[in-house]
């Protein structure tokens, strides 16, 4: 199994400030034949299912605000929220799909307002 | 807009079988993609249970493989999950979802809480 480890476990950021969440995989999720990183990010609010934000490590899903961005390659990835809004309070998960359809998630990062 | 809705008993006794269905609307399961089940114990993270391709091929989490069966009923446009010999550790919110060919989940059901208790 590919183990996904997120850091930090929780994060408090002031409104309007930048939030950065990291995700590290135990082995590369960069597929050499197509040069794509098999990594997605989700947002989960209380009582709701996860919502897809980003796939291929940096492609925003339709309708996701452009303050959300993903970066990284190989084993190290970052989700950045450029200017935190109140509605961004949630738990964020990374997910690898290099071994699709078998997938694994990070343990989650809780994002709060400072 | 694709919609998924899980249904099934909210309470299952230890050692019995957990059975859930997921009704899919606005998209025909037989048209394509993987369809999967993911669970989330209260206050914890997400765990993939298993997936089924529209053709019927199945893939399971090795840690659950001996107890899990995922199937589809194309006539009803729904997928099903069976988990045998449940214990308290299987208490969780169970989600169904559509898994794109790349591997991410773009549509999710609202989830259903299943509690294992006598």
């Amino acid at each position: 199994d590919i183990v996904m480890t997120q850091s930090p476990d929780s994060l408090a950021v002031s409104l309007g400030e930048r939030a950065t969440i990291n995700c590290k995989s135990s082995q590369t999720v960069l597929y050499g034949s197509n040069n794509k990183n098999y990594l997605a990010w989700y947002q989960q609010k209380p009582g709701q299912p996860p919502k897809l934000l980003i796939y291929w490590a940096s492609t925003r899903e339709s309708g996701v605000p452009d303050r959300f961005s993903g970066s990284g390659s190989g084993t190290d990835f970052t989700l950045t929220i450029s200017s935190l809004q109140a509605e961004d309070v949630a738990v964020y998960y990374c997910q690898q799909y290099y071994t699709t359809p078998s997938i694994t998630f990070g343990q989650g990062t809780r994002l709060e307002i400072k | 807009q694709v919609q998924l809705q899980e249904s099934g008993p909210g309470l299952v006794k230890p050692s019995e079988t957990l059975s859930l269905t997921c009704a899919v609307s606005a998209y025909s399961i037989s048209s394509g993609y993987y369809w999967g089940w993911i669970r989330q114990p209260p206050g914890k993270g997400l765990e993939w249970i298993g997936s089924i391709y529209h053709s019927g091929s199945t893939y399971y989490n090795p840690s659950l493989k001996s107890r899990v069966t995922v199937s589809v009923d194309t006539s009803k446009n729904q997928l099903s999950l069976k988990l045998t010999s449940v214990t308290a550790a299987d208490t969780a919110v169970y989600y169904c979802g559509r898994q794109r060919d790349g591997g991410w989940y773009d549509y999710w059901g609202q989830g259903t809480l299943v509690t294992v208790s006598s």
Side-chain angles (χ1 to χ4, degrees), chain B residues 76-117:
Chain B
K76 295 181 179 179
N77 210 41
Q78 65 183 32
L79 63 155
S80 298
L81 169 70
K82 290 190 186 301
L83 182 66
T84 62
S85 305
V86 297
T87 69
D90 295 310
T91 293
V93 174
Y94 286 76
Y95 296 101
C96 58
R98 187 178 81 169
Q99 186 176 14
R100 296 294 297 269
D101 287 345
W104 59 88
Y105 279 76
D106 59 351
Y107 289 101
W108 298 66
Q110 282 300 306
T112 187
L113 174 63
V114 179
T115 301
V116 178
S117 175

Side-chain angles (χ1 to χ4, degrees), chain A residues 38 40 42 44 48-50 52 55-56 61 93 95 97 100-103 105, chain B residues 34 38 40 44-46 48 51 59 95 99 102-106 108-110:
Chain A
Y38 283 55
Y42 299 85
Q44 186 178 32
Q48 296 183 20
L52 176 67
Y55 55 94
W56 297 133
E61 172 73 332
Y93 293 94
Q95 174 225 325
Y97 47 93
T100 194
S102 171
I103 60 171
F105 294 90
Chain B
Y34 291 95
I38 290 165
Q40 185 172 37
K44 296 187 178 180
L46 301 161
W48 173 71
S51 298
Y59 307 83
Y95 296 101
Q99 186 176 14
W104 59 88
Y105 279 76
D106 59 351
W108 298 66
Q110 282 300 306

Side-chain angles (χ1 to χ4, degrees), chain A:
Chain A
D1 278 7
I2 297 179
V3 177
M4 308 299 291
T5 304
Q6 294 181 226
S7 62
D9 289 334
S10 63
L11 180 63
V13 174
S14 300
L15 290 174
E17 296 300 305
R18 178 185 302 262
T20 300
I21 298 169
N22 301 302
C23 176
K24 187 175 184 67
S25 58
S26 61
Q27 64 187 72
T28 187
V29 297
L30 173 63
Y31 198 57
S33 64
N34 60 10
N35 202 37
K36 286 181 180 287
N37 287 284
Y38 283 55
L39 191 284
W41 289 96
Y42 299 85
Q43 173 194 68
Q44 186 178 32
K45 296 181 179 180
Q48 296 183 20
K51 173 188 174 184
L52 176 67
L53 297 176
I54 286 169
Y55 55 94
W56 297 133
S58 60
T59 302
R60 258 190 314 274
E61 172 73 332
S62 175
V64 172
D66 61 7
R67 64 179 181 273
F68 290 92
S69 64
S71 62
S73 184
T75 61
D76 293 280
F77 300 90
T78 300
L79 174 69
T80 301
I81 307 172
S82 61
S83 177
L84 189 70
Q85 306 298 304
E87 62 265 32
D88 300 334
V89 169
V91 178
Y92 292 84
Y93 293 94
C94 61
Q95 174 225 325
Q96 67 80 19
Y97 47 93
Y98 187 85
T99 52
T100 194
S102 171
I103 60 171
T104 50
F105 294 90
Q107 81 276 18
T109 295
R110 185 173 303 275
L111 177 59
E112 300 173 334
I113 304 294
K114 185 186 292 183

